[in-house]
Amino acid sequence: MSRREFRKSSYSSAEHECVEVGRSEGFVKLRDSKDPDAGTLDLPVGAARRLFDALRVR
């Protein structure tokens, strides 16, 4: 995936570390914005939704 296929949260700023999110054929891909070449964590869409829902509650 190219850099254009990932997006950074609107809550992110240039000074802080953050996660970028992308999507590819049934998976949500997460990667470190400061080190995008380090790899991605690929979660099935349903698992990613549950994770994001759980994080929103906190």
Side-chain angles (χ1 to χ4, degrees):
M1 291 184 82
S2 73
R3 189 174 245 333
R4 288 178 293 169
E5 295 176 77
F6 283 88
R7 65 181 176 85
K8 204 184 301 189
S9 168
S10 60
Y11 292 100
S12 300
S13 68
E15 299 84 37
H16 299 286
E17 296 178 29
C18 68
V19 172
E20 294 178 327
V21 179
R23 191 164 178 180
S24 174
E25 298 186 33
F27 287 89
V28 173
K29 299 174 138 330
L30 305 172
R31 71 179 182 186
D32 182 348
S33 65
K34 301 284 186 192
D35 191 7
D37 296 325
T40 61
L41 173 64
D42 301 346
L43 298 172
V45 172
R49 279 193 187 122
R50 289 188 297 277
L51 171 65
F52 297 148
D53 286 345
L55 292 173
R56 247 184 241 116
V57 171
R58 295 177 183 215

